[in-house]
Amino acid sequence: VRPAPPSPPAADTGRPRTRPVPTGARALLVPPYKRRTGMMVVFHIFQTIGYYGFGTMVPLVLTAKGYPISESLLFTGVTYLGYPIGSALSLPVVERVERKYLVVGAGLLMAVFGLAFGFSNSMLTILVFGFLYTAVSNVFSNAYHIYQAEIFPTHLRSTASSGTYALSRLTTAAMPFVLVPVLNDAGVGALFAIVCAAMVVVAVDVGILGPLTTGRRLEVVNE
């Protein structure tokens, strides 16, 4: 019995060979996604100080300013009206304004309004800047939740978003142990200087390392 002749080599179709798609957390630590992963790690560590730090510390800040508990809670409730209003305001802008710039701009406004709130002494300015802070912070929050899902491909999106977002929960847990002593020892100005600095770090981080996403196909964003 004669052996079968060897099979002819497969014809070269001229198409580029596809590389295996990296998956899992390890893929986030190598190019091309290492830079974006690092950006989101820094982002989530510091954005928590600005977003949750304000809401957590407002009653204590107002008490430190000399307002009784009953009035400080009333002022806090009024400033918190900015959260739903800010979410409503974000609806017409998140699809029309480049989300990278929206995150950066809202973060810088949070820094400005936070400092203004911290150094306000009258009831009117406290309510105005507190309301503006919470309203802008929810524009910021809505924009970045969309943005962080756009900058990673489908096979890495859930791992990247949930993994980096988990760091913000750790920061939230540690935050009272840092901010409350600052308020007690250094005062309201120092507290909001930290909040302002955190949001500036967030804005610089996204501004330098973040890609443009609005109006672009996800395949293009994640090339």
Side-chain angles (χ1 to χ4, degrees):
V1 179
R2 295 181 179 179
S7 301
D12 186 359
T13 60
R15 298 177 181 176
R17 296 181 179 179
T18 58
R19 297 179 179 178
V21 178
T23 59
R26 183 177 298 179
L28 299 175
L29 303 179
V30 297
Y33 304 114
K34 179 173 67 174
R35 174 172 169 166
R36 296 183 187 183
T37 303
M39 178 192 75
M40 294 308 299
V41 167
V42 173
F43 176 87
H44 278 303
I45 289 175
F46 286 94
Q47 65 86 12
T48 307
I49 299 173
Y51 187 84
Y52 290 104
F54 181 87
T56 303
M57 298 298 296
V58 162
L60 296 178
V61 167
L62 293 176
T63 302
K65 286 178 177 287
Y67 293 96
I69 294 295
S70 58
E71 289 187 10
S72 67
L73 292 178
L74 175 61
F75 292 173
T76 300
V78 173
T79 60
Y80 282 8
L81 292 176
Y83 287 125
I85 293 176
S87 289
L89 292 175
S90 70
L91 294 177
V93 298
V94 291
E95 297 295 347
R96 299 180 182 179
V97 178
E98 168 56 51
R99 279 180 282 277
K100 170 182 174 176
Y101 300 144
L102 192 59
V103 170
V104 171
L108 292 176
L109 284 177
M110 288 169 67
V112 172
F113 293 147
L115 279 179
F117 178 89
F119 288 99
S120 295
N121 293 314
S122 70
M123 179 184 68
L124 179 60
T125 54
I126 286 173
L127 293 178
V128 168
F129 288 118
F131 174 84
L132 290 174
Y133 189 98
T134 55
V136 171
S137 70
N138 257 27
V139 175
F140 169 83
S141 179
N142 291 355
Y144 92 68
H145 276 90
I146 299 171
Y147 185 73
Q148 71 177 358
E150 294 177 310
I151 61 175
F152 292 99
T154 303
H155 65 282
L156 294 176
R157 186 168 302 142
S158 59
T159 301
S161 298
S162 61
T164 56
Y165 189 76
L167 296 173
S168 71
R169 305 304 90 198
L170 295 176
T171 307
T172 302
M175 191 168 50
F177 299 99
V178 176
L179 296 185
V180 172
V182 170
L183 176 63
N184 292 334
D185 297 338
V188 175
L191 171 66
F192 277 94
I194 292 175
V195 171
C196 173
M199 296 314 300
V200 170
V201 170
V202 166
V204 172
D205 178 48
V206 176
I208 294 176
L209 300 178
L212 303 177
T213 63
T214 304
R216 305 176 72 197
R217 295 178 61 188
L218 293 180
E219 294 83 357
V220 175
V221 175
N222 290 287
E223 282 182 345

